[in-house]
Amino acid sequence: MTLTAVHPETHASTDSATNWQPVCPLEALEPLWAEAALVDHEQVAVVRLPSDEVVAVSHWDPYAKAHVMARGIVGSRGGRPTLTSPLHKQVYDLATGECLTDPALRLATFPVRVRNGIVAVGRHEQAA
């Protein structure tokens, strides 16, 4: 399943004061499975962790130069949740975007919140 932004008439619209964009209901995300979403014209990989925490990183694989990260493998390393590129297997820390296998690489991270069962992702300028 590939996610897109929730239609504003169906759920809360983008909150321009805080730059949050609704993406999907929490229940639409399977734990430990990444999904792609479009947030302010940027492709994002959204991951629900077993704790129901939701994280978001860039869908762009900086090594492969392709939008594929939502097809990667969700796992952990040293207790830190990770996402492994499906193409060349670089491993990224989901909290920081740091590549654990190649320090020269990094994924952009995005703030995420869940309110009233709706996952919303903050625009990239908030994550800086």
Side-chain angles (χ1 to χ4, degrees), residues 104-116:
L105 301 173
R106 178 172 291 275
L107 295 177
T109 59
F110 297 80
V112 178
R113 72 178 185 191
V114 179
R115 290 208 178 145
N116 300 319

Side-chain angles (χ1 to χ4, degrees), residues 2 24 36 60 64 82 108 111:
T2 299
C24 66
W60 178 256
T82 60

Side-chain angles (χ1 to χ4, degrees), residues 4 24 36 38 51 59 64 78-79 81 83 101-103 115 120 122:
T4 57
C24 66
L38 189 60
S51 65
H59 186 44
L83 182 60
T101 52
D102 184 346
R115 290 208 178 145

Side-chain angles (χ1 to χ4, degrees), residues 46-61:
V46 181
V47 180
R48 179 179 175 183
L49 301 174
S51 65
D52 283 342
E53 177 186 3
V54 181
V55 294
V57 295
S58 177
H59 186 44
W60 178 256
D61 182 332

